[in-house]
Amino acid sequence: MRPRAGPEWAALIERDAERALIDGALSGAESGHGRTVLLYGHSGVGRSSLLRASALDAESRGITVLQASGTELERGYGFGIVRQLLEARIAGLPPGQRRTLLDQAGPAAEAALGIGPPVPGVSTAGFDQIGGVHRLVVSLAAIDPLLLAVDDLQWCDRPSLDFLCFLGHRATRLPVTIIAAWRRGEPRVKAGRLQALAGQPETIFLTPAPLTPDGVRTMLTRDCAGDPADQAVDTVHAQTSGEPFLAGELVGGLRLRGIPVDGDCTAAIMAITPESVRRNIVARLGRHSDAVRHFAQAVAVLGDASLSQAAALAAISQDRARVAAAALVRSGILRDDSILRYAQPLLRAAVYDTLSSLERAELHHRAAALLASAPGSDPAIQRRLAEHLLRSEPTGDSRFAEVLREAAVRSAADGAPADARRFLTRALGDIETSRRAEVLAQLAELDLLAGDLPAAAIHAAEAMSLPSTPSAHAAACLACSQAVAATQGLAAAVELLDAQTPLLRNAHPALARDLQAAAATFRVFADTPPSASPEAIVEFEHLAGPTQAELVTLASWASHATLAGEATAARVADACARVLSHDGDPPADDAARYLAGRSALLCDAGPTLDAALARDCPPPAGHPTDDPPLVALALRAQRALARGDLAPAEADARAVIDAIEAQPSTPLRRRIHADLLAGLVMICLERADRGATELALAELDVVADGCAPAAASLRIAVALAASKPATALAAALAAARGPIGLAAPGLSWRPWAAVARHRVGDTPAALSLASMHLEHARAWGSLPLLGRALLVRGVVEPGDQRLQFIEAAIAVLEETSSRLDLARATIEHGAALRRARRRREAREQLVRGADLANRCGAELLSTRARAELVAVGARPRRAAFTGVGSLTRSELRVAQLAAAGMTNRAIAYELTVSAKTVAGQLTAVYRKLDVHDRAALATAMDAPDHTDLPAAAHNRESVR
């Protein structure tokens, strides 16, 4: 049995074909019929690894291995390779055996090996020495089969190469195998003798191929922890073109740095240039002339380049460049292509790293000058030109500054603000003084997008201090105000804008209006009143919003009017509609759309907001689409909350909050964050999740810095839900001392304070607050707000008018889409009827209210409804009283079979019950689902169980 190969073969990847041929050559030597194997390829392809593995395999078979390696410095040393091969073997023989073998080989062999004196009359061509050495090898092979392993054969001395050719012709008749590795493309190597050796019919000529992506995957799996991701495999293969040496060194670099390869590590792989690869390429280029080395460096700086460009950058003639390119192609450093590029990107990175920082900057500047002098304005050339300028030192050339500014504009348009910042920062070194402020203003805007607030403040402040055009000054003011708002507060930003606006008002009113619009949004975000009188602001209410500033100001006016309860809901809804429906140029920005959308929601302009959301939000779930914009998703969450759809509202709100927390802070994002946290408090409160409610309220205080208008109302609501009337009253007293009156429709503190007063028995104060709130609601004119105000008035009413107010609230809320408010009013109606001893009517209202609350996911209301039902003598067995959720297990099974088209008899047979039982259960199913035939039943069973509950659809069977 053949001995097992050593670990060297096992370590090689995708070399089975080469191994099979080498294995055959070694087996032939064992039987007395050797072969010559020539491993040919450029540096890094794995020739030496194959040679080492072959030597270890031969030793494991009992074959004597004689090894040698050519070096550039020893090429002129006659019989140098022969001496490396034989000296150690001859010296290791017993003296008697050694003397016998040398006597048989003759004096010429001793002279060739340098262990005997020169022999007079020996041929100057070395034929006598070659013959003597051949006899010596034959004698050694008679003892044990031999493997002559020679690495770097291209640097073999001439006599040794002649000997190997001489022996190769006779190897098939000897127990001798020759395996030699020949590196292609080395300079000053004459390949005549090597080609003669390769051309012998008995020679096995092997050219190892680069690794495939699967081979790279195997290497990553073997050397790095974890299953490599496709991106890691593809990047390593692309960087190295599958060359085993480069791939092994790159994978080793990943392992040493502890970089996991089971995820997206593309950037980390691209950043690695192993020191061993740098040393290797330095040694390879060092064997070439200075012209070739400079040409290689020029191509490394240029990337893909033409011959003329690389020649100009290397400062050599076209003819010398052509020679240099050919030499680098032969060496496997450059690809054999009409466009000059490195064979492996990793080699280019290694050559580039051999340059000092000053050399790089100089070469990049010269490359930029070359590209700038090219005719035409090809975008690809302009991009390359800008990249070269980034890596060069400023020279004050204004041409380059304009190139960099254009590159920044393109990058910003392509969604790469970080690249745009780099281009503009570099442009500052070449820009004219008169245009420096303009570039600084643009840079400050990009700093804000990147979340670098200190840099934005510095750049914007410098831009404001420099002489510039009015538009550049206004842009700098706006960018600076954003940075100031994020770092020093909204009040400081408003103060800055108010100070700068008069400087532009007379000569440039449009620019002044831009600053006024920004100040207006900051005031809304800070919940402070506008600086101008209502009459001065209301003029924008009558504009169509053709400019961005007018759209923003119109949305800000709507927000202020909503916040303070000024104007009417109809007027505000009209202003919001003009902002949300505006699709001209420019479109409304995020701040205007959010403020208008939230105001529309609070003034009962739901259809207007729905139309806007239909444009901005994705289609229904299940359809592939891009993520909706952050503002649209935030408005969708608040719209769902207003309807009472708590689950989708919470999902959208948490998604937006997570996205905001991962992005740089801006005033708009903080406002959205605070509004959605207020919504989460209400959602968690309705779901009876006390821990989540308190956590969301605490986060709201942090985000809003204790100044959120909704927080005061929510504290009262949370205390009331926890049955802590004294705490609720204290929170109500604190809210009353605040500067905000109505706050926002739906979030006013007055109705909650009225309920808190009612709970502690202070009926006059409760009635006063509830009546005041009702007057505001009637003046405002929004149906949801009016319905809630009527309900609060009925709750605190101690007399006979209680039912009238509550029934009026139900009548109003029936006309709205707010099912949660309707559920609350219906349950309050049932409770009031129970206290009036109208038990049958109370039970009907409580069942309907409980069903509505259950469909909304409002556990707090559902629990109260069930408690009230118990108080009227009912025994509710389920949370739902209508819909699929109200069906018992047996009713659900019957409904499913009937919806599938089975007859009553077939259902009875399937369930092993009587047909009469099936008919009775099916009757109950029809009543609970409010359907009348099997077709409608199938539709009801397939539909989600969250449709509006018909007023007459009551289920008395579920209440005992």
Side-chain angles (χ1 to χ4, degrees):
M1 179 181 295
R2 201 193 92 177
R4 293 183 60 187
E8 282 287 330
W9 272 120
L12 298 182
I13 298 172
E14 294 185 337
R15 292 292 181 257
D16 291 342
E18 290 84 352
R19 180 182 180 182
L21 291 171
I22 293 172
D23 180 75
L26 293 176
S27 298
E30 290 177 317
S31 61
H33 304 286
R35 299 287 294 276
T36 299
V37 179
L38 196 58
L39 305 173
Y40 178 76
H42 54 72
S43 178
V45 80
R47 299 162 294 97
S48 298
S49 298
L50 280 169
L51 193 68
R52 287 192 298 271
S54 302
L56 291 173
D57 193 10
E59 287 180 351
S60 69
R61 296 167 178 260
I63 297 174
T64 299
V65 178
L66 308 179
Q67 299 188 67
S69 178
T71 63
E72 189 176 15
L73 296 178
E74 296 182 8
R75 291 174 62 188
Y77 181 43
F79 288 104
I81 292 297
V82 169
R83 294 184 181 187
Q84 288 186 51
L85 289 171
L86 298 176
E87 279 177 340
R89 176 61 176 161
I90 294 299
L93 294 174
Q97 188 179 18
R98 180 171 63 248
R99 187 67 265 163
T100 300
L101 289 176
L102 291 174
D103 289 343
Q104 293 173 352
E110 294 185 56
L113 293 176
I115 56 177
V119 180
V122 171
S123 171
T124 56
F127 294 130
D128 292 335
Q129 288 97 327
I130 291 173
V133 173
H134 176 261
R135 289 189 294 273
L136 180 59
V137 170
V138 170
S139 299
L140 289 172
I143 302 173
D144 288 312
L146 296 180
L147 168 64
L148 276 62
V150 182
D151 200 3
D152 287 327
L153 186 64
Q154 73 278 358
W155 288 323
C156 181
D157 62 277
R158 175 67 175 274
S160 295
L161 187 57
D162 289 341
F163 164 72
L164 291 174
C165 291
F166 184 84
L167 181 63
H169 280 293
R170 295 157 177 77
T172 56
R173 299 186 296 275
L174 296 171
V176 178
T177 297
I178 303 171
I179 301 181
W182 173 10
R183 183 190 300 175
R184 62 168 292 190
E186 291 297 330
R188 299 181 294 277
V189 171
K190 295 181 179 181
R193 284 286 193 278
L194 295 172
Q195 290 173 345
L197 181 62
Q200 294 179 7
E202 300 83 3
T203 298
I204 300 174
F205 192 78
L206 300 179
T207 56
L211 299 179
T212 66
D214 287 340
V216 172
R217 184 183 299 277
T218 301
M219 182 179 291
L220 283 166
T221 303
R222 181 191 66 192
D223 296 343
C224 298
D227 186 21
D230 291 342
Q231 296 97 323
V233 174
D234 294 341
T235 305
V236 170
H237 190 267
Q239 283 289 94
T240 63
S241 297
E243 295 296 338
F245 167 71
L246 298 179
E249 295 302 313
L250 187 54
V251 171
L254 289 171
R255 183 180 63 251
L256 289 175
R257 291 165 175 79
I259 298 172
V261 297
D262 53 358
D264 187 2
C265 55
T266 301
I269 296 173
M270 298 283 286
I272 294 176
T273 306
E275 180 61 30
S276 55
V277 176
R278 276 193 288 266
R279 291 198 306 269
N280 176 268
I281 194 63
V282 166
R284 292 170 65 183
L285 290 178
R287 302 183 191 110
H288 293 273
S289 65
D290 289 344
V292 173
R293 186 173 69 256
H294 292 157
F295 187 82
Q297 293 170 345
V299 176
V301 169
L302 286 170
D304 294 352
S306 66
L307 183 70
S308 59
Q309 289 173 335
L313 188 59
I316 60 177
S317 66
Q318 292 266 5
D319 291 339
R320 296 183 69 186
R322 197 172 289 108
V323 172
L328 293 173
V329 168
R330 287 193 301 271
S331 299
I333 296 174
L334 296 184
R335 292 186 182 181
D336 187 6
D337 200 345
S338 59
I339 300 297
L340 296 176
R341 59 169 62 94
Y342 272 78
Q344 297 87 23
L346 185 59
L347 278 187
R348 180 194 172 191
V351 173
Y352 187 82
D353 284 352
T354 62
L355 297 167
S356 68
S357 59
L358 293 178
E359 288 174 327
R360 292 177 198 166
E362 173 62 22
L363 286 172
H364 279 297
H365 181 75
R366 289 169 52 194
L370 283 172
L371 294 176
S373 63
S377 57
D378 185 355
I381 292 179
Q382 293 301 310
R383 282 194 292 270
R384 292 181 59 197
L385 173 55
E387 289 292 341
H388 284 301
L389 289 173
L390 278 181
R391 293 167 172 80
S392 67
E393 293 296 325
T395 59
D397 192 332
S398 59
R399 292 179 308 154
F400 291 161
E402 290 305 314
V403 170
L404 290 163
R405 290 187 66 188
E406 292 172 3
V409 171
R410 286 194 300 269
S411 296
D414 294 340
D419 290 341
R421 288 179 73 198
R422 291 166 54 224
F423 288 128
L424 284 183
T425 302
R426 172 60 181 80
L428 288 174
D430 289 325
I431 197 69
E432 297 174 353
T433 304
S434 60
R435 307 192 65 182
R436 183 176 179 83
E438 187 177 348
V439 175
L440 284 167
Q442 294 175 327
L443 185 55
E445 293 174 354
L446 292 171
D447 292 335
L448 290 172
L449 287 177
D452 192 347
L453 300 177
I458 292 171
H459 290 143
E462 184 181 353
M464 291 173 61
S465 67
L466 293 174
S468 64
T469 62
S471 60
H473 185 76
C477 290
L478 292 172
C480 192
S481 68
Q482 291 282 345
V484 168
T487 56
Q488 302 177 33
L490 295 169
V494 171
E495 182 180 355
L496 183 150
L497 291 171
D498 286 346
Q500 294 294 322
T501 300
L503 303 179
L504 298 170
R505 180 174 292 134
N506 294 330
H508 303 280
L511 295 176
R513 188 164 290 175
D514 289 340
L515 302 190
Q516 286 177 316
T521 58
F522 288 151
R523 288 189 174 91
V524 172
F525 295 151
D527 300 313
T528 58
S531 59
S533 65
E535 292 77 12
I537 294 177
V538 82
E539 64 172 304
F540 292 103
E541 182 190 0
H542 304 293
L543 295 174
T547 68
Q548 188 67 256
E550 290 170 349
L551 290 170
V552 172
T553 307
L554 192 58
S556 300
W557 173 84
S559 294
H560 277 301
T562 304
L563 185 69
E566 296 173 354
T568 64
R571 292 175 66 193
V572 173
D574 180 65
C576 294
R578 289 204 294 276
V579 176
L580 293 174
S581 62
H582 179 79
D583 57 359
D585 187 19
D589 68 1
D590 284 348
R593 293 185 67 79
Y594 180 74
L595 294 178
R598 180 159 172 77
S599 299
L601 186 64
L602 295 175
C603 65
D604 196 26
T608 299
L609 180 57
D610 290 339
L613 291 177
R615 293 193 307 268
D616 298 337
C617 285
H623 293 253
T625 182
D626 294 333
D627 291 335
L630 198 67
V631 166
L633 197 59
L635 290 173
R636 190 173 73 177
Q638 296 175 70
R639 176 67 171 135
L641 177 58
R643 286 196 304 263
D645 295 334
L646 300 184
E650 181 177 10
D652 282 346
R654 293 196 183 278
V656 174
I657 289 173
D658 290 343
I660 287 176
E661 290 176 346
Q663 296 179 6
S665 176
T666 66
L668 175 60
R669 288 174 186 154
R670 285 200 301 276
R671 178 56 184 261
I672 293 175
H673 197 176
D675 289 342
L676 292 184
L677 283 172
L680 275 181
V681 174
M682 299 171 67
I683 293 168
C684 297
L685 192 64
E686 296 294 349
R687 287 177 37 232
D689 190 340
R690 182 176 299 178
T693 301
E694 294 175 352
L695 179 61
L697 188 56
E699 290 180 4
L700 175 61
D701 285 333
V702 173
V703 170
D705 198 18
C707 298
S713 303
L714 293 172
R715 290 189 187 93
I716 307 171
V718 170
L720 290 173
S723 299
K724 298 178 179 178
T727 303
L729 181 59
L733 292 173
R737 291 193 294 269
I740 303 299
L742 185 64
L747 292 178
S748 171
W749 59 268
R750 285 194 177 93
W752 295 109
V755 175
R757 291 285 187 179
H758 174 68
R759 293 277 182 90
V760 297
D762 190 353
T763 301
L767 285 172
S768 176
L769 288 168
S771 299
M772 187 182 302
H773 183 60
L774 182 56
E775 289 177 9
H776 276 293
R778 284 176 173 153
W780 177 252
S782 167
L783 288 181
L785 180 61
L786 178 59
R788 290 191 291 268
L790 287 167
L791 178 61
V792 172
R793 181 66 178 78
V795 168
V796 302
E797 172 61 43
D800 296 336
Q801 289 185 313
R802 174 190 296 248
L803 282 173
Q804 295 178 16
F805 280 113
I806 296 177
E807 288 168 356
I810 292 175
V812 170
L813 293 172
E814 290 275 12
E815 302 299 322
T816 72
S817 61
S818 181
R819 291 178 299 159
L820 187 59
D821 289 329
L822 181 59
R824 185 175 289 107
T826 306
I827 293 170
E828 287 291 352
H829 191 208
L833 289 171
R834 177 186 64 80
R835 288 191 289 272
R837 300 185 180 277
R838 296 160 60 178
R839 301 169 67 86
R840 179 177 177 180
E841 296 172 82
R843 184 168 60 182
E844 291 179 352
Q845 290 299 308
L846 289 170
V847 166
R848 182 174 181 237
D851 231 338
L852 279 168
N854 181 68
R855 289 170 183 250
C856 292
E859 180 62 28
L860 192 66
L861 276 178
S862 295
T863 300
R864 189 190 169 196
R866 288 194 294 271
E868 291 287 347
L869 281 169
V870 171
V872 298
R875 290 182 294 169
R877 296 180 298 175
R878 313 178 74 77
F881 298 95
T882 61
V884 176
S886 67
L887 301 179
T888 65
R889 183 177 300 177
S890 58
E891 289 171 348
L892 179 61
R893 183 60 177 151
V894 168
Q896 290 170 336
L897 295 175
M902 295 179 65
T903 63
N904 286 9
R905 186 179 297 276
I907 295 173
Y909 181 80
E910 175 73 18
L911 301 179
T912 319
V913 297
S914 67
K916 184 176 180 181
T917 299
V918 172
Q921 291 182 336
L922 201 53
T923 300
V925 169
Y926 284 174
R927 183 168 56 250
K928 291 180 179 181
L929 300 185
D930 194 26
V931 298
H932 307 286
D933 53 38
R934 275 177 160 75
L937 173 64
T939 302
M941 294 296 291
D942 290 338
D945 191 24
H946 56 69
T947 55
D948 286 332
L949 182 67
H954 299 162
N955 177 21
R956 297 178 182 85
E957 295 298 326
S958 295
V959 184
R960 298 292 182 185

